[in-house]
Amino acid sequence: MNELQQILEHIGNDENFLLSGGAGSGKTYSLVQVIKEVIKQHPAEKVFCMTYTNIAVKEIEERVNHKNLDVSTIHDFLWDNIKHFQKEIKASLIALANDPDSKIKIDNDGDPVPDNFFDAIKEIEYKEYLKINNGIISHDEVIWLSEYMFRTYIKLCDILKDKYRFIFVDEYQDTHKEVVDILLRHIRQSQRKNTIGFFGDAMQSIYSSGVDEINDYIEEGLIKEVKKEQNRRSPRLVIELANRLRTDGIVQEPSDDTKAPNMQDDGTVKEGTIKFIYSTNPDLDLLRDYLTENFGWDFNDNKRLKELNLTHNLIAEKAGFQNLMAIYDKDPIISLKSAITQKIKDDKKYGRPEIIFDENASFDTVVDIFQLKNRQRQLKKDIILANQADRELYDQLKDVPFVEVRKIYLDKDQLIDDKKQTEDEESKKGSKRDNLIKHLFKIQQAISLYQSGKFNEFLAVTDYKINRVQDKIDLKNKIESLINVEDKTIEEVINEADRDGICVTDDKLERFIREKEYVYNRVKKVKFSEFQKLFEYLEGRTPFTTQHKTKGDEFDNVLVILDNGDWTQYNFENLFLENGSESVLKRTQKLFYVCCTRTKENLVVFYHEPSEAVIEKAKEWFGEENVIEI
């Protein structure tokens, strides 16, 4: 009995199910098969499919275009099912805020939050940012709030089951435990019938928010497991390596489908290659030259080749957007502000004596009051003022009221949000890019449309008017000026694109400049050519990507760089030695598994200065003949 037949049997028995499959097993294909069969067998019933990203939503909608199917991300699904119950939402937020074990906090000067706290607010809203005292919640709060409400209000469970007879979860391992509890525990309070199906792979659970252990639900009898053990993507050597890395008992084998991507014309599985390369020289150009000369790898072919690094920070310099990354991820003044606000929160949380100060006092005054210290016991302010560049940044904010500085927020996700987004998705929940970066993307996307000859689409997204031949000539010159920006700054290009009608400065950008002046003043001085490199990277047009971002992708040639950077969540040496913190080991093992299983042909893992013990383990995993020093 194949996987589809097993799943349909569980559905027929009114049993929830889990399809567990390793990388390359075709889980999404199975999900689509199940959805189509369920719609065919139950034409009067509605089906819901939730997944992790907007990209995945679009893919499933394209594969199954049917009026009975609704698809969305997890957060949108939850909010859509609770947002109309405003009375219950407000009561739940207050109850959670008054629960010392809850992660939801409402500032009420240390006093319990009264039942009428939200009476003056028309409705609670879900947005990209959190201002809970103003009735605005964000992504995490939607998860925690939904879990509480489905646990507390049975009528919500009844309504959900009435709405959807079938709920399927793609990439379940990335789903919050609270969501799994809603679907497998809380809605059981309702006597109505429905079936929950999960599709995914425990070994690809690489996000800290994901459900860690699905076996608990299996052991309780809440769900029946179906294993999918064939691999349709990977060559034989990669399958064997992946099996050595798995810890959950699933042992993959090549597909018995002779038309599977990893099969050759004669019906046998591709052999593939796996190499573990190490060196005392950290220069990756040496490695790239070696792979180019000895294996014919083309590092300009980003469709067939990917170099996987752990973080965007490690890629930024290679890809050429290091100055933008430094602004969004390492701003010293905003880090100082964040340290002060964290101190305030911690004092309140742990009942410590709070430092009394005037929120309207200047930032400089508040910094002096808090006297924050680093490990060297020096004042952070002293360190900042000792550096000329940092001093200039500090001078921009030192006289600004602390209450205003406190609102300034910088995070690298505002710059390099992992989700590729179309113009339609820009306004949807889940887009973390700030309005300045979104505007720069609009400029570059308009340029790209013109370059690729999509003139009608270009005209649709710009205010440019073509009424005569000369207009076309002028447009060509204006676009070329924006393509070959040379040393023009981001501010100069924004003004030029606005003046020429390529991308008009709108209310959102003007509001950003007005309200986030400090951030804008930093970004506007960066060369636009650096943003162009960021654009190329995020659009997948470079050979670089993060190890996290590649999940779900596949390439002929994959190079994995084992470099921890300054992360403590991963440790590649402990991965090979199989020791250290259990949680770090498990997290690293899963990430490495995901990286290795992206390849359809050839895999290379690079390690700088491994110990002898690491080299010995590499020989065990990769084969002695495949461990190479350069």
Side-chain angles (χ1 to χ4, degrees):
M1 188 184 297
N2 63 31
E3 299 91 10
L4 177 61
Q5 292 169 327
Q6 292 179 59
I7 288 171
L8 293 176
E9 186 173 288
H10 287 308
I11 290 174
N13 295 332
D14 292 325
E15 295 171 330
N16 300 326
F17 65 88
L18 161 68
L19 178 70
S20 293
S25 61
K27 295 180 293 297
T28 303
Y29 174 76
S30 294
L31 168 63
V32 169
Q33 277 188 308
V34 171
I35 292 173
K36 287 180 176 178
E37 194 61 34
V38 163
I39 289 174
K40 179 181 176 182
Q41 294 185 14
H42 303 267
E45 304 288 1
K46 289 281 286 183
V47 179
F48 188 88
C49 180
M50 73 175 80
T51 189
Y52 199 69
T53 67
N54 286 325
I55 298 171
V57 168
K58 197 176 282 185
E59 179 185 354
I60 293 168
E61 285 177 334
E62 287 172 355
R63 291 204 202 182
V64 187
N65 183 11
H66 197 280
K67 61 182 176 60
N68 284 5
L69 175 67
D70 291 335
V71 190
S72 82
T73 60
I74 293 163
H75 291 86
D76 286 352
F77 167 78
L78 293 175
W79 183 243
D80 286 344
N81 281 284
I82 66 171
K83 65 184 179 183
H84 298 300
F85 302 95
Q86 286 290 324
K87 178 182 175 183
E88 289 81 0
I89 287 176
K90 292 176 179 179
S92 298
L93 285 174
I94 291 167
L96 286 167
N98 288 326
D99 179 352
D101 296 324
S102 169
K103 297 175 185 176
I104 287 182
K105 306 296 179 188
I106 295 176
D107 185 10
N108 193 40
D109 296 325
D111 296 326
V113 182
D115 292 343
N116 64 351
F117 187 84
F118 290 116
D119 283 3
I121 293 173
K122 183 179 179 182
E123 66 177 25
I124 304 297
E125 297 178 272
Y126 167 38
K127 294 189 176 182
E128 286 301 304
Y129 58 91
L130 174 66
K131 285 194 175 182
I132 198 165
N133 283 48
N134 297 334
I136 298 171
I137 62 175
S138 189
H139 312 299
D140 288 340
E141 290 71 32
V142 166
I143 297 288
W144 302 328
L145 173 64
S146 299
E147 191 277 332
Y148 176 87
M149 290 182 66
F150 275 98
R151 172 161 43 97
T152 305
Y153 301 107
I154 295 179
K155 70 175 181 180
L156 272 180
C157 304
D158 287 336
I159 292 169
L160 180 60
K161 284 188 170 183
D162 283 343
K163 192 173 179 182
Y164 297 112
R165 175 68 176 80
F166 301 96
I167 299 176
F168 300 137
V169 181
D170 189 24
E171 302 286 4
Y172 82 83
Q173 70 278 355
D174 296 333
T175 307
H176 295 71
K177 183 180 185 300
E178 290 89 343
V179 178
V180 180
D181 281 340
I182 289 171
L183 297 176
L184 293 184
R185 298 190 198 280
H186 303 337
I187 67 172
R188 293 179 71 219
Q189 299 175 97
S190 168
Q191 299 304 307
R192 291 161 169 77
K193 278 187 177 183
N194 88 331
T195 300
I196 311 296
F198 292 90
F199 297 76
D201 180 8
M203 279 298 292
Q204 296 187 64
S205 174
I206 60 175
Y207 298 107
S208 58
S209 60
V211 60
D212 187 53
E213 194 52 77
I214 199 73
N215 286 335
D216 293 345
Y217 301 92
I218 296 173
E219 290 171 4
E220 289 181 47
L222 298 176
I223 193 166
K224 302 289 185 180
E225 185 176 23
V226 176
K227 292 184 178 181
K228 185 165 189 171
E229 296 180 321
Q230 293 193 348
N231 186 311
R232 299 173 54 82
R233 173 198 299 154
S234 308
R236 184 183 66 81
L237 289 176
V238 173
I239 293 174
E240 291 176 356
L241 173 62
N243 285 338
R244 296 183 194 110
L245 298 174
R246 291 198 74 97
T247 59
D248 61 351
I250 288 183
V251 178
Q252 285 193 304
E253 57 189 29
S255 172
D256 57 10
D257 179 2
T258 57
K259 295 182 180 179
N262 59 353
M263 303 300 285
Q264 301 182 105
D265 292 340
D266 63 0
T268 60
V269 66
K270 293 178 181 177
E271 186 74 1
T273 65
I274 56 173
K275 304 291 180 186
F276 180 93
I277 298 178
Y278 65 98
S279 176
T280 56
N281 190 336
D283 184 2
L284 293 179
D285 284 336
L286 173 70
L287 171 66
R288 296 184 190 108
D289 290 344
Y290 176 85
L291 293 174
T292 300
E293 292 168 10
N294 291 276
F295 297 101
W297 283 26
D298 181 0
F299 279 84
N300 294 314
D301 187 352
N302 56 73
K303 292 183 178 179
R304 297 184 66 241
L305 184 151
K306 278 296 177 199
E307 177 182 316
L308 310 184
N309 294 262
L310 185 59
T311 69
H312 295 287
N313 303 67
L314 298 173
I315 293 170
E317 187 168 357
K318 301 174 192 175
F321 57 91
Q322 63 270 29
N323 292 312
L324 285 170
M325 179 63 84
I327 292 171
Y328 277 86
D329 195 42
K330 297 175 182 176
D331 185 288
I333 315 306
I334 302 308
S335 296
L336 179 57
K337 180 270 302 185
S338 299
I340 292 173
T341 55
Q342 189 61 49
K343 167 72 173 165
I344 295 168
K345 289 178 183 178
D346 288 347
D347 286 348
K348 190 171 292 187
K349 179 178 179 180
Y350 297 111
R352 296 193 291 245
E354 295 178 36
I355 298 174
I356 306 300
F357 68 100
D358 182 359
E359 287 262 353
N360 292 304
S362 71
F363 181 52
D364 189 48
T365 300
V366 174
V367 170
D368 285 340
I369 290 171
F370 276 80
Q371 296 288 290
L372 293 164
K373 299 179 180 180
N374 69 2
R375 292 174 185 168
Q376 287 75 41
R377 311 304 292 171
Q378 294 173 284
L379 296 178
K380 283 197 172 187
K381 179 179 173 181
D382 291 344
I383 297 172
I384 287 169
L385 296 182
N387 181 297
Q388 181 61 31
D390 291 348
R391 175 191 282 272
E392 290 174 5
L393 294 176
Y394 187 78
D395 286 345
Q396 290 186 46
L397 289 176
K398 70 176 186 178
D399 296 324
V400 177
F402 179 74
V403 68
E404 295 300 320
V405 177
R406 192 172 190 168
K407 296 175 184 177
I408 301 174
Y409 173 72
L410 278 173
D411 182 88
K412 62 187 175 185
D413 278 348
Q414 294 170 303
L415 177 73
I416 43 86
D417 184 8
D418 273 352
K419 305 176 191 67
K420 285 186 187 176
Q421 286 152 351
T422 64
E423 194 68 24
D424 291 338
E425 290 170 330
E426 286 284 330
S427 61
K428 289 186 178 180
K429 308 171 188 70
S431 173
K432 296 179 181 178
R433 293 174 188 160
D434 68 28
N435 283 327
L436 172 56
I437 300 302
K438 286 179 182 177
H439 189 83
L440 298 179
F441 262 85
K442 282 196 268 187
I443 294 173
Q444 192 59 39
Q445 282 165 346
I447 294 169
S448 296
L449 287 172
Y450 183 91
Q451 283 182 296
S452 58
K454 298 177 181 178
F455 301 119
N456 288 335
E457 291 180 46
F458 167 82
L459 293 173
V461 300
T462 68
D463 269 6
Y464 199 86
K465 307 298 182 194
I466 294 180
N467 298 313
R468 53 199 177 94
V469 173
Q470 186 60 43
D471 292 337
K472 290 184 178 182
I473 297 171
D474 291 344
L475 173 60
K476 183 175 184 292
N477 293 332
K478 290 171 182 176
I479 289 292
E480 285 179 355
S481 176
L482 290 174
I483 294 170
N484 304 310
V485 290
E486 298 179 340
D487 288 334
K488 290 178 188 173
T489 64
I490 282 174
E491 182 179 44
E492 288 171 332
V493 170
I494 287 174
N495 293 336
E496 185 176 329
D498 176 58
R499 183 194 68 220
D500 293 341
I502 306 300
C503 186
V504 174
T505 299
D506 61 5
D507 291 345
K508 288 182 180 179
L509 179 61
E510 290 177 353
R511 187 166 61 250
F512 182 94
I513 295 172
R514 188 170 59 250
E515 296 177 356
K516 308 283 179 64
E517 183 181 10
Y518 174 78
V519 180
Y520 182 71
N521 284 343
R522 290 210 65 190
V523 174
K524 73 179 184 181
K525 299 174 185 176
V526 177
K527 293 179 181 178
F528 189 77
S529 58
E530 182 166 320
F531 175 78
Q532 289 177 320
K533 291 174 182 175
L534 170 68
F535 182 87
E536 292 294 299
Y537 164 68
L538 289 177
E539 291 298 300
R541 298 173 189 167
T542 71
F544 310 112
T545 189
T546 64
Q547 294 169 9
H548 289 82
K549 187 176 179 180
T550 193
K551 191 157 74 73
D553 288 340
E554 54 186 38
F555 307 94
D556 288 350
N557 303 313
V558 172
L559 169 61
V560 182
I561 307 297
L562 298 189
D563 181 349
N564 288 329
D566 57 0
W567 280 42
T568 57
Q569 296 182 354
Y570 301 92
N571 190 304
F572 291 116
E573 182 170 41
N574 286 351
L575 166 69
F576 281 81
L577 302 183
E578 298 177 322
N579 60 21
S581 162
E582 183 179 352
S583 62
V584 172
L585 178 60
K586 184 185 292 186
R587 198 178 296 121
T588 310
Q589 198 167 29
K590 290 178 177 179
L591 186 63
F592 187 53
Y593 173 86
V594 168
C595 293
C596 291
T597 53
R598 296 310 93 200
T599 185
K600 298 189 290 182
E601 301 280 353
N602 308 299
L603 169 71
V604 172
V605 173
F606 177 74
Y607 201 122
H608 174 233
E609 286 192 315
S611 66
E612 283 300 320
V614 168
I615 293 172
E616 287 305 309
K617 176 56 76 170
K619 290 177 180 178
E620 181 183 325
W621 280 352
F622 289 77
E624 189 165 353
E625 71 281 7
N626 293 316
V627 176
I628 303 167
E629 181 179 13
I630 61 171

